Amino acid sequence: MKKLLLAAAAASICAAPAVAEVKVGMITTLSGGGAGLGIDVRDGFMLAIAQSGRDDIDVVIEDDQRKPDIAVQLSDKMIQSERVDVLTGIIWSNLAMAVVPAAVNQDVFYLSPNAGPSPLAGKGCNKNYFNVAWQNDNLHEAAGAYANTAGYTNSFILAPNYPAGTDALTGYKRFFEGDLAGEIYTKLGQTDYAAEIAQIRASGADSVFFFLPGGMGISFLKQYADSGIDLPVVGPAFSFDQGILQAVGGAALGVVNTSQWNKDIDNPTNAAFVESFQAEYGRLPSLYASQGFDTANLLLSALESASPSDADAFREALRAADFDSTRGDFAFGPNHHPIQTIYAREVIQEGDVFTNKIIGTALENHSDAYAADCKM
Amino acid sequence: MSAILIIEQVLNGLQFGVMLFLMAAGLTLIFGVMGLINLAHGSLYMVGAFAAAAVAGATGSFLLGLVAALAAAALAGTLIEVVVIRRLYAAPHLDQVLATFALILVFSEGTRWIFGSFPLFLEIPDALSGPVTLPGGIEYPLYRLTLIGIGLAIAVGLWALIERTRIGIQIRAGENDREMIAALGVDISRLYTLIFALGAALAGLAGALVGAIQSVQVGMGEPVLILAFVVIVIGGIGSIRGAFIGALLVGLTDTLGGVFLPEVFKLFMEPGAAQKSGAAIASMGIYILMGCVLVWRPTGLFGARP
């Protein structure tokens, strides 16, 4: 009898950790210039975790300060000392390239809520790496496709001189069928675009495409609006997200931008997400917040059917992507990147808040150009 | 490449230069008179921009915003001089760098704490928005022309202050021999606070003026700070005239290099590659300029000869 009790006690002690505790490490940017993006991803992610009602998911959140070396340190700490099962959260492609390959090779799962650098979609793809947002080129490709339908034939294009900037112009050119009136690489972090705007004025273009994320886009749009040039502008959603539109003000009104998400996508998950996000945080969600929310829901859906300790089953469960996305239909391609519809949105004013409205579809069920190179 | 485009780019370079001058003037005075390396000068630029955005947002008046920027930056400058910097005049430069770097972090996170992580909105006043047509058919934004005007006016004002007033005499004396003017009965500690506040106010004004056409966000001051250091090294540390010439040189080199180098590269490369390598070389332009000036004159254009 005593032996039996002891055995039972031992069994219950051993069993206890098995039912509970999935550990998730979130490395994201919460301080410095790019903090708005990380905060949105974190808030969206934590909202979904809270709504799931599960208390056996332990999320460790750390700030990478947008520095690759710090991100690497944090991921080493999370993998080796905190022993997380799943990593997520990185915003910037250069940080993702520093962290992701090493992490997935240590049998940790990585779910990307934002960055989608091309190497990780092509030759460097990995069975433990899932991208829930987009491959970097996607929104720019959609902008190129939109420019065709809008009838533009001569675009002036500009982006910062760094890998994601090159990807952006490559993506636009891949789909845009017209000519280029000019192609400019600006400095990363540049704040004054007077020289570029003068070149646009002199170029004879019929449209402008730009990829200038965050503060760079705010500066460009304000200066462009003040220059008196009235050529139409197209860009990816990164310069028109909810976080920065208020800072651009009227200068962005009417600009068309491409995004895989918007708050008016009509499905119950999205409606509930927008409403609960506003109720919880007192502001409108951005596309980054929707990506964080979707990432957490993907994770939750996989946890329903498998535990990360059974890596193969858990991977299959992730690949199935059996969750209700804020974007409606959502599926992974063979390289674990989304196949999704990308919309054209227009900046509008609702009361005194600037936001976006969907005006059409730019690319339907779009995959990426690198999937064929991925040998998993 | 038309003449109009070239003139427009020269105006752009001038405008960039005079705004850099507002930053560099304070930095060079503080270094010249007090021997202090103030890394937090960029934070005062940010304080000015945020104060202007907050006040202009609340009252709807850009002018009130500018007044608030001047006041807030001068106040923040006075505060850090009295609380932190005053203890560091005798300390080695490394300690000053450490303390003022800490101030950058304090200001950045403090601003985030008050205003949040998202950029603020500051708009060009209606009266100054939109382009004007200059003689020769050049369309140029009125606001940028105004910036050039304000920058030049302040340069003249500073020159008058330093060359023509009693305070100016004290400042120049302070640069030459601190102990001596203290011995002559000038309240040196008050003079230091005054110079610091003046430098801070100029930085704050620059932040507010430039904030209207750029993004008012945490960390906006640091890139400008680096350029301002390049300016004062080129101009010669401690020299207002040097800061003015240096700022215009840096502004013009940066703007014109970024536009014309890729064009030059296109003569012997295909356009895409020419753009990329031209842009890369152009971004080094001001540092190459600084290197050349230092080889020619190791103390800068107007620096004191050793």
Side-chain angles (χ1 to χ4, degrees):
Chain A
M1 190 62 205
K2 219 183 209 172
K3 253 187 189 161
L4 202 71
L5 267 180
L6 216 67
S12 65
I13 290 167
C14 295
V19 278
E21 290 297 293
V22 179
K23 216 160 185 189
V24 180
M26 176 178 278
I27 302 170
T28 196
T29 307
L30 301 173
S31 64
L37 287 70
I39 288 169
D40 271 2
V41 163
R42 178 196 66 190
D43 289 352
F45 191 92
M46 295 315 288
L47 181 68
I49 299 284
Q51 287 176 355
S52 74
R54 293 182 63 145
D55 53 6
D56 58 341
I57 301 173
D58 184 11
V59 185
V60 188
I61 302 172
E62 295 271 11
D63 174 19
D64 60 32
Q65 300 166 34
R66 200 177 177 170
K67 294 181 180 138
D69 50 327
I70 293 185
V72 169
Q73 274 174 23
L74 288 174
S75 95
D76 287 345
K77 187 183 104 187
M78 285 184 173
I79 295 170
Q80 286 157 24
S81 108
E82 307 254 6
R83 305 215 163 267
V84 298
D85 307 297
V86 177
L87 268 179
T88 184
I90 294 178
I91 301 295
W92 312 98
S93 290
N94 53 337
L95 274 68
M97 287 308 296
V99 166
V100 172
V104 290
N105 283 327
Q106 297 177 68
D107 293 326
V108 170
F109 286 92
Y110 186 86
L111 309 179
S112 176
N114 198 59
S118 49
L120 294 179
K123 285 202 175 67
C125 67
N126 188 289
K127 59 182 181 172
N128 288 342
Y129 171 79
F130 290 82
N131 186 307
V132 196
W134 21 252
Q135 199 281 314
N136 278 357
D137 303 10
N138 285 166
L139 301 193
H140 314 297
E141 292 168 339
Y146 171 79
N148 294 332
T149 52
Y152 304 150
T153 54
N154 196 16
S155 281
F156 194 102
I157 63 177
L158 67 158
N161 197 2
Y162 81 123
T166 319
D167 282 357
L169 297 193
T170 312
Y172 185 79
K173 287 190 278 186
R174 190 177 289 139
F175 276 73
F176 181 59
E177 288 155 1
D179 299 321
L180 295 182
E183 180 176 1
I184 290 189
Y185 285 101
T186 61
K187 265 176 284 185
L188 188 60
Q190 185 171 327
T191 49
D192 200 295
Y193 295 90
E196 288 75 11
I197 289 169
Q199 282 169 285
I200 293 173
R201 197 199 302 271
S203 71
D206 69 355
S207 55
V208 177
F209 166 78
F210 76 98
F211 164 61
L212 295 165
M216 294 183 272
I218 300 178
S219 303
F220 176 78
L221 281 169
K222 281 165 100 170
Q223 294 163 24
Y224 186 81
D226 190 48
S227 73
I229 306 178
D230 52 4
L231 300 176
V233 178
V234 223
F238 311 119
S239 302
F240 304 91
D241 73 75
Q242 204 57 50
I244 65 175
L245 273 182
Q246 315 318 317
V248 183
L253 270 183
V255 175
V256 174
N257 62 100
T258 50
S259 174
Q260 85 288 1
W261 176 86
N262 195 39
K263 71 179 171 56
D264 60 358
I265 293 180
D266 190 15
N267 66 60
T269 313
N270 196 37
F273 162 66
V274 173
E275 198 190 317
S276 55
F277 190 94
Q278 257 188 301
E280 179 73 25
Y281 303 109
R283 62 178 197 270
L284 281 172
S286 66
L287 82 159
Y288 308 111
S290 82
Q291 291 160 193
F293 188 79
D294 278 354
T295 306
N297 277 325
L298 169 71
L299 174 70
L300 290 161
S301 75
L303 289 174
E304 287 298 318
S305 55
S307 151
S309 53
D310 182 357
D312 290 330
F314 187 68
R315 188 177 308 119
E316 280 314 310
L318 283 172
R319 196 176 287 157
D322 184 18
F323 71 104
D324 294 324
S325 164
T326 53
R327 296 165 235 184
D329 292 340
F330 182 96
F332 283 120
N335 59 347
H336 293 177
H337 281 62
I339 298 176
Q340 61 190 347
T341 300
I342 298 169
Y343 303 94
R345 321 187 291 185
E346 186 185 321
V347 180
I348 54 158
Q349 192 168 15
E350 280 179 359
D352 50 359
V353 178
F354 293 94
T355 185
N356 288 287
K357 184 184 84 176
I358 289 184
I359 56 166
T361 305
L363 288 171
E364 196 114 19
N365 293 328
H366 183 56
S367 170
D368 60 80
Y370 306 98
D373 298 334
C374 168
K375 305 276 179 285
M376 228 178 260
Chain B
M1 184 125 316
S2 65
I4 287 187
L5 186 60
I6 294 175
I7 296 171
E8 198 174 341
Q9 300 296 17
V10 169
L11 283 174
N12 287 335
L14 273 180
Q15 183 260 312
F16 184 34
V18 295
M19 286 299 113
L20 272 181
F21 168 69
L22 292 189
M23 274 294 278
L27 205 58
T28 205
L29 271 183
I30 290 166
F31 194 95
V33 178
M34 314 178 203
L36 179 98
I37 297 178
N38 180 21
L39 292 186
H41 207 65
S43 299
L44 298 165
Y45 176 86
M46 177 182 74
V47 166
F50 272 86
V55 170
T59 62
S61 159
F62 186 73
L63 209 60
L64 279 182
L66 284 189
V67 173
L70 278 169
L75 194 72
T78 311
L79 199 70
I80 60 178
E81 202 273 339
V82 171
V83 177
V84 181
I85 309 259
R86 187 168 285 186
R87 292 155 222 282
L88 294 170
Y89 290 130
H93 282 323
L94 204 58
D95 292 7
Q96 300 173 349
V97 166
L98 194 64
T100 51
F101 185 71
L103 283 174
I104 294 183
L105 301 180
V106 170
F107 270 101
S108 290
E109 291 315 303
T111 311
R112 185 194 315 291
W113 186 56
I114 299 173
F115 292 100
S117 301
F118 297 98
L120 254 56
F121 178 64
L122 178 63
E123 196 180 23
I124 302 173
D126 284 340
L128 296 176
S129 70
V132 287
T133 308
L134 300 179
I138 304 165
E139 278 200 36
Y140 198 73
L142 178 60
Y143 187 74
R144 286 184 190 273
L145 277 184
T146 316
L147 291 189
I148 296 176
I150 294 176
L152 293 178
I154 287 177
V156 171
L158 268 183
W159 172 82
L161 177 79
I162 287 176
E163 299 293 329
R164 294 279 180 272
T165 66
R166 190 163 184 83
I167 293 272
I169 294 172
Q170 292 176 353
I171 291 175
R172 278 182 287 145
E175 279 181 44
N176 285 328
D177 196 329
R178 263 171 265 188
E179 283 85 11
M180 190 54 87
I181 70 159
L184 289 173
V186 174
D187 183 348
I188 193 86
S189 125
R190 216 194 55 180
L191 180 69
Y192 281 8
T193 311
L194 193 77
I195 295 173
F196 207 90
L198 176 69
L202 287 177
L205 179 67
L209 288 172
V210 170
I213 49 171
Q214 294 182 3
S215 160
V216 179
Q217 62 181 4
V218 172
M220 65 188 283
E222 277 66 62
V224 192
L225 177 77
I226 294 172
L227 292 177
F229 269 113
V230 172
V231 165
I232 67 169
V233 168
I234 288 177
I237 286 164
S239 161
I240 289 282
R241 187 159 34 133
F244 185 70
I245 303 287
L248 292 189
L249 274 177
V250 167
L252 287 169
T253 308
D254 196 55
T255 307
L256 298 180
V259 178
F260 295 116
L261 265 184
E263 295 296 324
V264 173
F265 276 53
K266 269 180 204 158
L267 298 177
F268 51 90
M269 286 167 97
E270 60 101 7
Q275 248 309 320
K276 265 200 110 153
S277 34
I281 307 261
S283 62
M284 298 179 226
I286 55 168
Y287 302 101
I288 296 171
L289 172 73
M290 180 170 79
C292 294
V293 168
L294 289 184
V295 167
W296 175 44
R297 289 192 166 189
T299 52
L301 294 176
F302 296 93
R305 297 282 164 274

